[in-house]
Amino acid sequence: MTKRIMNKLLRAMTPATAAAAGVLIITVIALLTPPYIGMADNGDFFRILYSNGLYFNDPAYDSQYLGYFVKTYGIFQYYNENGATLFSTQSSFIQIAVFLYKLLHPGTTTFDIRFQAILYTILYTIAIYLLVEALTWKQPRLRGYIIAGIVIFVFGDTGYTAYFNSFYGESVMLIMTVFMVASGLLLYRGRYNVYVMLGLLAASAMILTASKQQNAPVGIVMALFGVSLIFIRKKSSYRAITAFLLVALIGVGISTYVLIPKEFVNINKFHAMTRGVLMGSTNPEQTLESFGIDKQYAILNGQEYFEPYKSVDVESKEFEEQFFSKYGFGSILTYYATHPGQAVQMLNIAARDGFSIRPNAMGNYEQSVGKPFGAHTTFFSGYSLLKEALAPKTFGFIALWTMLVVGLYIPSFVAAIRSRHLRHAIKLPLMLALILIGLSGIVVSIIGAGDADLAKHEFLFTLAFDLVTLVTVRDLIVKQLWTVKESIPAQAAM
């Protein structure tokens, strides 16, 4: 009897189930059992906290910035005068978590962030299941378990999941990117209902795009990738729905950029100039004059917006007219295009931080645990530590990696087009979209904010790098980089 039950359990434990269960167990141990692991506030939490009915209620909160994770926050009981400082889909997840927490704890005046982590963990577990299902479907069990093990090692890493115990937008970015890639691969494989997968792809891409202002290019890139999806089915209704979703994606991308608050635009512009253009210039005074800015502002070289004692009043009307009004995203992009040496220098600085899943500046433990200020956990952090230690820290490596991945997928893409297996032509556009999304994270960070908080701003790149590399390694394992067909049901290809 026991043997029969064990056999049934083994049959039910598919690679996708095993991967989801593994990531779930590791994440629960890390985030929901003592000592609790989370992410310290670097000063960004206020942007999303107050407008969602929460506030800092720890009297010693200010002394814990960057160093210690704080898990308890106050809930506004009467009137909340704070409007939204920025538009982000992250707010919806916070509000759902707070609503459910209050439902289970009637009359509570505090919110335990671990409840949000539970919500994110459930969504992440589902996303991991779908990802591994896409990677292992119709593959031999042993091969599937190897791929599942790789996924657990990479995406169960606390460098990723520690974000769930924080108010950083990276939590939503991580979950939605995995959903987006999983649904794209499931469309490619013909697994599950095509309309459900198409809807999941579009919804996750939209939520990802609108989760953070710097993700505005994601909507445009995914819409371009989506053009390849139009041709995998001939039904006019399918093509009309797909075209509508692509237009909506573009609209979300544009709206996300337009809705960036003026305050944050100026903060980012300040860093783009002082921590980017000027910092890399051999003649800051001349560089400022090329933008039509008085050269006296070269004194700001290397300064940050939030420094308590700056050389000028950065919030004054005079500074707005003489400094901020003189340049924008386009003019800085043009500057780097005409100064390739400085552009490469900034790209190499970005590459230095581009492989750090967990920024070094933020600690993972509560102050009560007794760990040093800013201490990081090593629990199930093998991949993040290995990646940061071994990955080449140059943009040249990123360029070579890009060319290698694209080169590996071109033969199967060409073969799929020639044989008119259009579904099988999806993978190269998907990989290109992921690479472009990752690279956009680097470029937007440099042009938009220089090297300020660069490691955190490049989260989307390091995530895209891991997903692209994972899919490539999987295809090498199953020997499907140079073949057109994969095992899909005949009806799925209709």
Side-chain angles (χ1 to χ4, degrees), residues 40 54 57 68 82 90 121 128 148 154 190 201 212 238 256 287 296 317 319 327 406 417 444 469 486-487 493:
L54 302 174
N57 66 339
Y68 295 109
N82 300 283
Q90 181 193 356
T121 300
I128 291 294
V154 174
L201 175 66
K212 210 169 186 180
Y238 166 81
T256 300
T287 297
Q296 68 175 331
K317 184 178 180 180
F319 192 71
Y327 67 98
V406 173
I417 296 296
V444 170
T469 303
E486 292 205 41
S487 301

Short mmCIF file of all heavy atoms in Angstrom, two decimals, residues 40 54 57 68 82 90 121 128 148 154 190 201 212 238 256 287 296 317 319 327 406 417 444 469 486-487 493:
data_model
loop_
_atom_site.label_atom_id
_atom_site.label_comp_id
_atom_site.label_asym_id
_atom_site.label_seq_id
_atom_site.Cartn_x
_atom_site.Cartn_y
_atom_site.Cartn_z
N ALA A 40 16.47 45.91 3.39
CA ALA A 40 16.44 47.20 4.08
C ALA A 40 16.00 48.31 3.13
O ALA A 40 16.19 48.22 1.92
CB ALA A 40 17.82 47.51 4.66
N LEU A 54 -0.18 53.03 4.39
CA LEU A 54 0.79 52.56 5.37
C LEU A 54 1.75 53.68 5.75
O LEU A 54 1.94 54.64 4.99
CB LEU A 54 1.59 51.37 4.81
CG LEU A 54 0.78 50.13 4.37
CD1 LEU A 54 1.70 49.11 3.70
CD2 LEU A 54 0.06 49.51 5.55
N ASN A 57 6.11 53.24 11.46
CA ASN A 57 5.69 53.38 12.86
C ASN A 57 6.78 52.99 13.86
O ASN A 57 6.53 52.97 15.06
CB ASN A 57 4.43 52.54 13.12
CG ASN A 57 4.70 51.04 13.00
OD1 ASN A 57 5.67 50.63 12.37
ND2 ASN A 57 3.83 50.23 13.59
N TYR A 68 19.11 47.56 8.03
CA TYR A 68 18.27 46.53 8.63
C TYR A 68 16.89 46.44 7.97
O TYR A 68 16.30 47.46 7.59
CB TYR A 68 18.10 46.79 10.13
CG TYR A 68 19.38 46.68 10.91
CD1 TYR A 68 20.01 47.82 11.43
CD2 TYR A 68 20.00 45.44 11.10
CE1 TYR A 68 21.19 47.72 12.14
CE2 TYR A 68 21.19 45.34 11.81
CZ TYR A 68 21.79 46.47 12.32
OH TYR A 68 22.97 46.38 13.02
N ASN A 82 -2.25 61.58 1.96
CA ASN A 82 -1.17 61.39 1.00
C ASN A 82 -1.68 60.81 -0.31
O ASN A 82 -2.27 59.73 -0.35
CB ASN A 82 -0.12 60.42 1.58
CG ASN A 82 0.48 60.93 2.86
OD1 ASN A 82 1.34 61.80 2.85
ND2 ASN A 82 0.02 60.39 3.99
N GLN A 90 2.56 48.11 -8.83
CA GLN A 90 2.95 47.52 -7.54
C GLN A 90 1.92 47.85 -6.46
O GLN A 90 1.69 47.04 -5.55
CB GLN A 90 4.33 48.04 -7.13
CG GLN A 90 4.84 47.48 -5.81
CD GLN A 90 6.05 48.24 -5.28
OE1 GLN A 90 6.56 49.15 -5.93
NE2 GLN A 90 6.51 47.87 -4.11
N THR A 121 4.95 35.05 -2.92
CA THR A 121 5.49 33.69 -3.00
C THR A 121 4.53 32.76 -3.73
O THR A 121 4.94 31.92 -4.53
CB THR A 121 5.79 33.14 -1.60
OG1 THR A 121 6.76 33.98 -0.96
CG2 THR A 121 6.34 31.72 -1.67
N ILE A 128 6.94 29.89 -11.58
CA ILE A 128 8.03 28.91 -11.72
C ILE A 128 7.48 27.60 -12.29
O ILE A 128 8.11 26.97 -13.16
CB ILE A 128 8.71 28.66 -10.36
CG1 ILE A 128 9.50 29.89 -9.91
CG2 ILE A 128 9.63 27.43 -10.43
CD1 ILE A 128 10.68 30.24 -10.79
N ALA A 148 14.84 21.25 -13.94
CA ALA A 148 14.15 21.76 -12.75
C ALA A 148 15.15 22.13 -11.65
O ALA A 148 14.99 23.14 -10.96
CB ALA A 148 13.17 20.71 -12.24
N VAL A 154 18.88 28.68 -9.52
CA VAL A 154 18.97 30.07 -9.98
C VAL A 154 17.85 30.93 -9.38
O VAL A 154 18.11 31.97 -8.76
CB VAL A 154 18.92 30.14 -11.53
CG1 VAL A 154 18.86 31.61 -11.99
CG2 VAL A 154 20.11 29.43 -12.13
N GLY A 190 2.95 25.24 -27.79
CA GLY A 190 1.57 24.83 -28.04
C GLY A 190 0.94 24.18 -26.83
O GLY A 190 0.00 23.39 -26.95
N LEU A 201 0.47 36.46 -21.22
CA LEU A 201 1.64 37.16 -21.75
C LEU A 201 1.40 38.66 -21.77
O LEU A 201 2.24 39.45 -21.30
CB LEU A 201 1.96 36.65 -23.15
CG LEU A 201 3.08 37.37 -23.90
CD1 LEU A 201 4.42 37.14 -23.22
CD2 LEU A 201 3.16 36.91 -25.36
N LYS A 212 7.29 50.18 -12.91
CA LYS A 212 8.37 51.12 -12.62
C LYS A 212 8.59 51.99 -13.86
O LYS A 212 8.56 51.48 -14.99
CB LYS A 212 9.65 50.35 -12.28
CG LYS A 212 10.58 51.05 -11.33
CD LYS A 212 11.66 50.09 -10.86
CE LYS A 212 12.52 50.73 -9.78
NZ LYS A 212 13.56 49.80 -9.31
N TYR A 238 -8.39 35.52 -33.67
CA TYR A 238 -7.13 35.43 -32.92
C TYR A 238 -6.22 36.59 -33.30
O TYR A 238 -5.63 37.25 -32.44
CB TYR A 238 -6.43 34.10 -33.20
CG TYR A 238 -5.00 34.08 -32.74
CD1 TYR A 238 -4.68 33.84 -31.40
CD2 TYR A 238 -3.95 34.33 -33.62
CE1 TYR A 238 -3.36 33.85 -30.97
CE2 TYR A 238 -2.62 34.33 -33.20
CZ TYR A 238 -2.34 34.10 -31.87
OH TYR A 238 -1.03 34.12 -31.45
N THR A 256 3.29 54.97 -19.24
CA THR A 256 4.21 54.83 -18.11
C THR A 256 5.28 55.93 -18.14
O THR A 256 5.63 56.49 -17.10
CB THR A 256 4.90 53.45 -18.13
OG1 THR A 256 3.89 52.43 -18.05
CG2 THR A 256 5.87 53.29 -16.97
N THR A 287 31.92 70.71 -21.24
CA THR A 287 30.77 69.82 -21.46
C THR A 287 29.47 70.54 -21.12
O THR A 287 28.49 70.45 -21.87
CB THR A 287 30.90 68.55 -20.60
OG1 THR A 287 32.07 67.83 -21.01
CG2 THR A 287 29.68 67.66 -20.75
N GLN A 296 29.76 77.33 -14.39
CA GLN A 296 29.95 77.39 -12.94
C GLN A 296 29.32 76.16 -12.25
O GLN A 296 29.73 75.78 -11.15
CB GLN A 296 29.33 78.67 -12.37
CG GLN A 296 27.81 78.70 -12.45
CD GLN A 296 27.20 79.92 -11.78
OE1 GLN A 296 27.77 80.44 -10.83
NE2 GLN A 296 26.05 80.37 -12.29
N LYS A 317 13.57 77.84 -8.48
CA LYS A 317 13.11 78.16 -9.84
C LYS A 317 14.29 78.55 -10.73
O LYS A 317 14.33 78.22 -11.93
CB LYS A 317 12.10 79.31 -9.77
CG LYS A 317 11.48 79.65 -11.11
CD LYS A 317 10.44 80.76 -10.97
CE LYS A 317 9.84 81.09 -12.34
NZ LYS A 317 8.82 82.18 -12.23
N PHE A 319 17.37 77.41 -10.56
CA PHE A 319 18.10 76.21 -10.97
C PHE A 319 17.33 75.46 -12.06
O PHE A 319 17.92 74.91 -12.99
CB PHE A 319 18.33 75.30 -9.77
CG PHE A 319 19.31 74.19 -10.03
CD1 PHE A 319 20.67 74.45 -10.16
CD2 PHE A 319 18.87 72.88 -10.16
CE1 PHE A 319 21.57 73.43 -10.41
CE2 PHE A 319 19.76 71.84 -10.40
CZ PHE A 319 21.12 72.12 -10.53
N TYR A 327 18.46 70.45 -20.81
CA TYR A 327 18.75 69.13 -21.38
C TYR A 327 17.66 68.12 -21.00
O TYR A 327 16.84 68.37 -20.12
CB TYR A 327 20.11 68.62 -20.90
CG TYR A 327 20.20 68.32 -19.41
CD1 TYR A 327 20.05 67.02 -18.92
CD2 TYR A 327 20.41 69.34 -18.48
CE1 TYR A 327 20.13 66.75 -17.56
CE2 TYR A 327 20.50 69.08 -17.12
CZ TYR A 327 20.35 67.78 -16.67
OH TYR A 327 20.42 67.51 -15.33
N VAL A 406 22.16 34.96 -30.01
CA VAL A 406 21.46 35.21 -31.28
C VAL A 406 21.98 34.27 -32.37
O VAL A 406 21.19 33.69 -33.12
CB VAL A 406 21.62 36.68 -31.70
CG1 VAL A 406 21.03 36.90 -33.10
CG2 VAL A 406 20.94 37.61 -30.70
N ILE A 417 11.13 29.30 -40.70
CA ILE A 417 10.51 30.17 -41.70
C ILE A 417 10.42 29.45 -43.05
O ILE A 417 9.38 29.47 -43.72
CB ILE A 417 11.31 31.48 -41.86
CG1 ILE A 417 11.28 32.29 -40.56
CG2 ILE A 417 10.77 32.30 -43.02
CD1 ILE A 417 9.91 32.76 -40.14
N VAL A 444 18.79 52.85 -20.15
CA VAL A 444 17.89 53.81 -19.48
C VAL A 444 18.48 54.25 -18.14
O VAL A 444 18.39 55.42 -17.77
CB VAL A 444 16.48 53.20 -19.30
CG1 VAL A 444 15.63 54.08 -18.39
CG2 VAL A 444 15.80 53.03 -20.64
N THR A 469 19.91 32.88 -20.55
CA THR A 469 20.93 31.84 -20.37
C THR A 469 20.29 30.51 -20.01
O THR A 469 20.69 29.45 -20.51
CB THR A 469 21.94 32.26 -19.29
OG1 THR A 469 22.52 33.52 -19.66
CG2 THR A 469 23.05 31.22 -19.16
N GLU A 486 9.47 20.58 -32.32
CA GLU A 486 9.45 20.03 -30.98
C GLU A 486 8.18 19.21 -30.85
O GLU A 486 7.27 19.33 -31.66
CB GLU A 486 9.48 21.16 -29.93
CG GLU A 486 10.80 21.89 -29.90
CD GLU A 486 11.06 22.53 -28.56
OE1 GLU A 486 10.78 21.89 -27.54
OE2 GLU A 486 11.55 23.67 -28.54
N SER A 487 8.14 18.36 -29.84
CA SER A 487 6.99 17.48 -29.69
C SER A 487 5.79 18.29 -29.20
O SER A 487 5.66 18.60 -28.04
CB SER A 487 7.30 16.37 -28.68
OG SER A 487 8.41 15.62 -29.13
N ALA A 493 -0.92 23.09 -33.10
CA ALA A 493 -0.27 23.84 -34.16
C ALA A 493 -1.26 24.41 -35.16
O ALA A 493 -0.88 25.07 -36.11
CB ALA A 493 0.72 22.93 -34.87
#
